[in-house]
Amino acid sequence: MADVLPLVEARLRSALGEPDARAAVTFLGTDRMEVLRFPAGDLVRYATLGMSAHPMNDPTAMVADPVKGPRAELVLSVRSGLADTDKVLRPLAVLAASPQVEGVIVAPGASLDVGEPLWPGAPFTSVLVAEPGGLVEDLELDEPADPVHFLPLLPMTPNEAAWKRVHGAQALQERWLTNGTDLRDPARTSVPLD
């Protein structure tokens, strides 16, 4: 099968425009992960490139399937100029490497935690993985490979992450919607959870 990453980068560029910066991180025992930065008016979008090179496989499977299995890249959108969000590059690369490092399958509704602020002074250490298909359309690959999904990441405060573990992703998203929460605000506070 042809290398997936040039196709993924082309899809990101067609949906988000030209990146104005890119950084690469390599972790021991993993492929190189890149994070591309796309300016978008008063927003900046960060997209991973490298996570979809291999399908995510069930960690309990005896043999990893090299072709079939879910593939994804991560996309984070935040308001620019309000915080030093460019420091999110390494945490995003860590999250993108988690399927290779930890054998997890990243899917909508999942929580991903980096254990430290996403950027200096950020009130968030984790993200909620949202449904794909809004900002960047899925990239269909040749059969039998699964399509590449571009999964939006929604930053969560520690209180929101704890509340989500008890009540579920849908309940947290409804709480955000009801309260008119600006999920792109890099300095927002936790939504009321009582």
Side-chain angles (χ1 to χ4, degrees):
M1 190 169 132
D3 188 5
V4 171
L5 297 184
L7 302 173
V8 170
E9 184 169 354
R11 175 57 55 93
L12 286 168
R13 286 173 182 264
S14 69
L16 305 177
E18 286 300 308
D20 67 352
R22 67 193 308 146
V25 180
T26 305
F27 304 101
L28 187 64
T30 69
D31 293 337
R32 173 180 145 134
M33 294 294 161
E34 288 190 85
V35 179
L36 282 60
R37 184 185 124 139
F38 297 89
D42 69 337
L43 297 177
V44 61
R45 301 187 197 284
Y46 301 94
T48 63
L49 181 63
M51 183 176 167
S52 63
H54 306 285
M56 294 179 273
N57 285 285
D58 183 342
T60 62
M62 294 297 278
V63 177
D65 190 315
V67 178
K68 289 190 65 65
R71 293 176 190 254
E73 295 291 352
L74 308 174
V75 181
L76 173 70
S77 300
V78 292
R79 298 213 177 283
S80 60
L82 302 177
D84 189 9
T85 56
D86 281 350
K87 297 283 196 287
V88 78
L89 301 177
R90 184 168 176 75
L92 276 181
V94 168
L95 296 178
S98 62
Q100 285 184 47
V101 174
E102 299 170 24
V104 297
I105 294 179
V106 177
S111 299
L112 302 174
D113 196 318
V114 293
E116 61 185 34
L118 292 176
W119 53 83
F124 320 107
T125 60
S126 62
V127 293
L128 175 65
V129 181
E131 292 291 333
L135 188 61
V136 183
E137 286 184 35
D138 293 348
L139 174 65
E140 297 295 330
L141 300 175
D142 294 337
E143 292 289 335
D146 293 17
V148 176
H149 298 297
F150 297 88
L151 302 171
L153 300 180
L154 309 175
M156 292 188 293
T157 65
N159 286 344
E160 290 169 341
W163 197 85
K164 182 254 177 196
R165 279 192 293 278
V166 174
H167 300 281
Q170 185 65 39
L172 179 59
Q173 289 180 303
E174 288 171 9
R175 182 63 59 111
W176 282 334
L177 191 60
T178 301
N179 285 275
T181 305
D182 180 2
L183 296 173
R184 295 173 175 166
D185 180 352
R188 73 173 180 84
T189 56
S190 184
V191 71
L193 298 170
D194 48 339

